[in-house]
Amino acid sequence: MSAQHEKPPLLHSLLELRAPLEAMTLFASLRLLKNAPLGDGQPVLVIPGFMTGDGATFILRRYLNQQGFVAYPWQQGRNPGLRHDIYQALEKQVNELYQRHGRRVSIV
């Protein structure tokens, strides 16, 4: 396999097991989140953390949508870190969102 297509180390995959624990901490933050500023339809591209995918950002995107933003997944599968092909795809997606909404795109 080439360096760009190597399987991730086992530890990286095992780190995804922490997701349920992190989701539980969300409940402790609900009071604070209810007081967060509201959006005005601004598009937001949500990029998942290293070695995670769009599933890991579902709750965040849903929350942003409920707050009045228009949140989008990155749609590139698991995030292997910034590479040239990833950067080009992100640039294309941001440009498409800008054209669709006619305004700046926030990236989270």
Side-chain angles (χ1 to χ4, degrees), residues 69-91:
F69 297 92
V70 182
Y72 292 91
W74 91 320
Q75 300 177 324
Q76 293 191 57
R78 191 177 290 219
N79 181 353
L82 189 57
R83 301 184 318 223
H84 185 69
D85 59 323
I86 299 288
Y87 177 82
Q88 287 181 321
L90 281 173
E91 184 177 35

Side-chain angles (χ1 to χ4, degrees), residues 46-85:
V46 181
I47 300 174
F50 181 65
M51 296 310 295
T52 64
D54 288 329
T57 65
F58 174 77
I59 293 173
L60 174 59
R61 287 183 283 119
R62 191 172 94 186
Y63 171 75
L64 289 170
N65 287 327
Q66 289 172 346
Q67 289 296 106
F69 297 92
V70 182
Y72 292 91
W74 91 320
Q75 300 177 324
Q76 293 191 57
R78 191 177 290 219
N79 181 353
L82 189 57
R83 301 184 318 223
H84 185 69
D85 59 323

